[in-house]
Amino acid sequence: MSLPHAILTALLEKPSSGLELTRRFDRSIGYFWSATHQQIYRELGKLEQAGQIRALPSEQPARGRKKEYEVLPAGREALRAWVARPEDPKQVRDPLLLRMRAAAVVGAPGLDAELRRHLELHRRQLAEYLEIEERDFPPERNSEEDRLRHLVLRGGIDLENFWIGWLTRALDQEERPGPQVGRS
């Protein structure tokens, strides 16, 4: 279960309210670990009950204020233990791959259009990652923290390059004459 660890990481980077966390998930962490607003709030409650985070004191009245949370020592230790724990890679579960396998047995008119759509989505994501890399990781930013964050981004860039190459090859095969995936 990595959502609590993603939240602990985000809160250690900067104490935040649930709404701020949701926005940060949409802008950065969400590129590799997504969560809905409801999931984040539910997990904040669990982490607070477990004594891993606490709401910061506020000068505003309790009603209508945004609770900001910070990580407590128990939360930092739980995150440290999780980071150190070995974990096997997860299997790829991608609906497009399953749909292609199904198309091999039932046919799929229009599969090439879906492959092109996915190719364009991955090209756009790659362009966004490259823009982030240029903006956020100039050569002079080379602290340990920056290097690790940059490696995460580079992982995303490499994955997008993989998908672009794979989809390009799949489309090339779709356009060749002869027996083709997704054709009856």
Side-chain angles (χ1 to χ4, degrees), residues 13-173:
E13 291 173 342
K14 179 183 180 227
S16 303
S17 68
L19 181 58
E20 289 168 330
L21 279 172
T22 300
R23 289 180 181 148
R24 289 173 60 206
F25 265 73
D26 289 345
R27 287 191 319 263
S28 62
I29 292 173
Y31 287 122
F32 55 91
W33 195 269
S34 61
T36 66
H37 187 74
Q38 293 84 2
Q39 288 171 317
I40 289 171
Y41 273 94
R42 194 172 343 157
E43 202 58 51
L44 284 170
K46 290 177 185 176
L47 289 168
E48 192 171 23
Q49 278 187 322
Q52 295 183 2
I53 66 171
R54 73 175 178 127
L56 290 169
S58 175
E59 296 173 10
Q60 297 177 347
R63 197 160 179 75
R65 75 171 164 95
K66 287 191 283 183
K67 270 189 190 179
E68 270 202 355
Y69 295 92
E70 70 174 353
V71 177
L72 295 171
R76 182 180 287 275
E77 189 49 44
L79 187 59
R80 187 176 282 122
W82 178 75
V83 167
R85 186 175 69 218
E87 191 169 319
D88 292 339
K90 299 292 181 217
Q91 285 184 321
V92 173
R93 293 180 64 166
D94 190 294
L96 180 62
L97 298 176
L98 182 57
R99 288 170 53 208
M100 288 182 71
R101 183 74 182 251
V105 293
V106 298
L111 180 62
D112 57 339
E114 182 65 353
L115 293 173
R116 283 187 226 302
R117 188 178 79 79
H118 276 255
L119 179 59
E120 182 55 33
L121 291 170
H122 286 288
R123 285 179 174 154
R124 277 192 248 148
Q125 188 64 64
L126 176 61
E128 188 174 339
Y129 285 163
L130 291 172
E131 185 180 302
I132 291 168
E133 182 179 44
E134 187 175 322
R135 181 190 67 221
D136 293 349
F137 296 102
E140 63 273 9
R141 282 190 69 182
N142 62 359
S143 69
E144 179 69 12
E145 193 174 272
D146 287 330
R147 281 194 305 273
L148 290 173
R149 286 184 180 137
H150 192 193
L151 278 170
V152 171
L153 178 62
R154 284 301 316 174
I157 290 169
D158 291 348
L159 282 171
E160 293 308 324
N161 279 319
F162 161 78
W163 281 112
I164 289 167
W166 185 84
L167 286 161
T168 300
R169 284 189 302 281
L171 283 163
D172 286 347
Q173 286 184 7

